[in-house]
Amino acid sequence: APVALIMPPRVKPLKREYGAADDDDSDYDAKGDGEIVMKMTKKPKKVKKEPTATADDDAADGPQKTKDIVELIGFNITTGPIQDAALHEKYKAMSLDELKQYLKLNKMPMSETGKKNKKYMYKKADLVAHCVDGEKWGRYPPCPVCQKKATLRVTYEDANHGGQGQWKCHGYWDSNIGGVVRCSFNYSEAAKSGAPQERPAWRHPGGEYSDDEQEDVNEGLDKPVTFPEGFGELPPMEMATEMIKICREHGLTVPKDDQLAMREAYVKIMASEDYEGNTDYVGAFGLLKEAYPKQTAEQKAGGPAPANADNAALCAALEAIFHAAKAANEDPMKASAYAKAAMSVRNLPYKVEDGIKMGKPGKMKVENIGPSLGAQIQYFLDHGKFERMEYYERGEIPPSAPKPPKKEKAPKA
């Protein structure tokens, strides 16, 4: 016989009531109609502490946690004695945007790296102190090695610094290699001995200045650039052809392949056109010069001296293959890998004897060097040259190394 299923009676839904934590200790309350009410404790909202305002800050800064405090290197001009009371009051009355405008105009930093390689972003009190320091002693000078690409930074020893201290260059970002170029000024005698540097005059917004900010297309070239009469009236393709001849005449490292070089020149020429169709061919030459700069005497000699003299030949070879790969229109990431490896090897205090270990994880792993580049370095150590250099010198791209065959999975039993 079929079994009848008996459904249980419907129970009224459980209701929730919210109350304070100290209203009642009971968790449930049964009412006369059979309805059960569950009492929920409502937790009080946390009240955020208002940050404490400071005298020199536009926006209030809350209390810093101990782990967030950055210990700076050298004498701190922000917490030290005021260098000039009148200048301090002048910059203290300015807003954050105005202070940053002054520092940006004078190419002064708005942050610094403290101990344990921690970055410290300047607050208003720091910006005021550095503006006072800049107007009193002058802005930071350009690096003698990097020229206009980077400015030196100073670390003071004490309050009686007189605007001089330990000068260092932090390098600059190079779009050609896609990374920061480490400057060799820090290894020079001037940096080691703490020689004083001449600080240029402080600049004010709206002021007239033309000392070291004017871009000159002739800078770094052996002779001035001259364009033939009627050069600006040439069609873009003809102008690109003549532009490449001028670039090679002045030693710019444009691609060796004529078609690739013309394409680069054509792109720069079209980018320099205004809305009326007029071509700024001088500006186009400047763009090509920035993208394919002439090699300096130091670069031709293999770059700055390495920390260990035994690595000089390897560093010079890495610099040479970088320029050869770039001229052969190699993939920018692959070409820049040689320049980055040269910078890493240049900083090694020991002699490089094993390229394979440099590219593998372990104690001998070197920054910017992977397994492939480590194998190329090992080939150089064994044969005195890079195997891929012959292709680059002919303007060709070397064939990629064949990938190892994948292991076939054993069939399941």
Side-chain angles (χ1 to χ4, degrees):
V3 179
L5 297 177
I6 301 175
M7 299 298 293
R10 184 175 181 180
V11 181
K12 290 187 178 182
L14 187 68
K15 291 187 177 181
R16 296 177 174 85
E17 288 184 358
Y18 293 89
D22 56 352
D23 283 351
D24 194 0
D25 293 336
S26 58
D27 295 333
Y28 296 92
D29 186 14
K31 295 186 176 180
D33 56 358
E35 185 177 71
I36 300 176
V37 178
M38 183 174 67
K39 295 184 178 180
M40 306 293 292
T41 302
K42 194 173 184 180
K43 294 183 179 180
K45 292 183 178 180
K46 293 183 179 180
V47 180
K48 293 184 179 180
K49 294 182 179 179
E50 293 294 331
T52 56
T54 57
D56 287 344
D57 289 343
D58 282 355
D61 294 324
Q64 277 189 312
K65 297 180 181 179
T66 306
K67 65 178 182 180
D68 295 334
I69 296 177
V70 180
E71 188 177 356
L72 301 181
I73 301 173
F75 176 74
N76 190 346
I77 60 175
T78 304
T79 58
I82 295 176
Q83 301 188 62
D84 189 297
L87 291 177
H88 185 81
E89 291 300 322
K90 167 187 171 182
Y91 287 106
K92 183 180 175 181
M94 296 183 183
S95 65
L96 285 172
D97 290 337
E98 290 174 321
L99 293 171
K100 290 178 180 179
Q101 182 183 7
Y102 267 93
L103 292 176
K104 186 176 181 180
L105 176 64
N106 289 277
K107 293 189 175 181
M108 299 278 281
M110 300 184 203
S111 65
E112 63 180 284
T113 304
K115 294 182 179 179
K116 297 183 179 180
N117 205 30
K118 291 185 177 181
K119 189 174 183 180
Y120 175 73
M121 298 298 298
Y122 289 165
K123 299 187 172 89
K124 182 175 180 180
D126 304 294
L127 300 178
V128 170
H130 282 80
C131 284
V132 172
D133 181 82
E135 184 165 352
K136 183 175 178 62
W137 305 110
R139 54 194 169 92
Y140 292 167
C143 174
V145 178
C146 302
Q147 299 298 327
K148 297 179 182 179
K149 297 178 181 178
T151 56
L152 298 179
R153 296 192 184 186
V154 65
T155 300
Y156 295 137
E157 186 177 353
D158 51 37
N160 302 318
H161 50 77
Q164 298 293 334
Q166 190 71 33
W167 293 94
K168 284 189 176 182
C169 179
H170 289 217
Y172 61 94
W173 177 266
D174 189 350
S175 57
N176 293 317
I177 66 172
V180 176
V181 175
R182 297 169 186 168
C183 182
S184 60
F185 172 81
N186 301 333
Y187 307 107
S188 64
E189 289 298 325
K192 293 178 180 178
S193 62
Q197 300 289 328
E198 183 179 354
R199 300 179 64 161
W202 184 252
R203 293 197 177 115
H204 299 271
E208 296 182 1
Y209 53 89
S210 60
D211 50 354
D212 64 339
E213 291 299 315
Q214 297 296 326
E215 295 295 335
D216 185 8
V217 294
N218 296 317
E219 184 181 0
L221 302 180
D222 297 332
K223 58 181 180 180
V225 181
T226 56
F227 297 92
E229 187 176 353
F231 188 84
E233 299 175 0
L234 294 175
M237 290 304 297
E238 293 184 23
M239 188 183 295
T241 304
E242 296 299 321
M243 182 73 77
I244 289 301
K245 293 179 181 178
I246 296 173
C247 290
R248 287 174 175 164
E249 178 186 351
H250 291 275
L252 301 190
T253 56
V254 293
K256 292 183 178 180
D257 185 89
D258 292 338
Q259 294 296 328
L260 295 175
M262 284 184 58
R263 185 181 66 184
E264 291 295 317
Y266 179 81
V267 170
K268 300 297 187 292
I269 290 171
M270 298 306 294
S272 63
E273 279 192 356
D274 59 16
Y275 291 106
E276 297 178 356
N278 300 319
T279 302
D280 180 13
Y281 53 87
V282 178
F285 179 85
L287 293 175
L288 285 168
K289 180 187 171 188
E290 182 181 356
Y292 302 97
K294 180 182 177 180
Q295 283 187 272
T296 63
E298 185 182 61
Q299 289 173 335
K300 290 179 180 179
N308 190 308
D310 293 331
N311 297 328
L314 176 57
C315 291
L318 287 168
E319 290 284 354
I321 196 173
F322 160 65
H323 292 287
K326 186 179 175 184
N329 203 37
E330 174 63 282
D331 181 88
M333 295 293 290
K334 292 183 179 179
S336 63
Y338 295 112
K340 293 179 180 180
M343 289 190 293
S344 298
V345 173
R346 195 172 286 120
N347 293 327
L348 296 178
Y350 56 85
K351 179 182 177 180
V352 174
E353 296 179 341
D354 193 325
I356 303 298
K357 290 183 179 179
M358 296 173 68
K360 290 185 176 181
K363 294 182 179 180
M364 300 299 293
K365 177 72 172 70
V366 177
E367 184 185 9
N368 297 322
I369 296 179
S372 176
L373 192 50
Q376 294 184 54
I377 291 175
Q378 185 60 47
Y379 185 91
F380 174 85
L381 296 176
D382 295 338
H383 301 87
K385 62 179 181 179
F386 282 106
E387 188 178 12
R388 302 167 68 90
M389 189 64 171
E390 297 178 2
Y391 291 91
Y392 292 139
E393 288 177 342
R394 296 196 300 265
E396 301 175 2
I397 305 298
S400 301
K403 296 182 179 180
K406 294 183 178 180
K407 294 182 180 180
E408 296 183 1
K409 294 183 179 180
K412 294 182 179 181

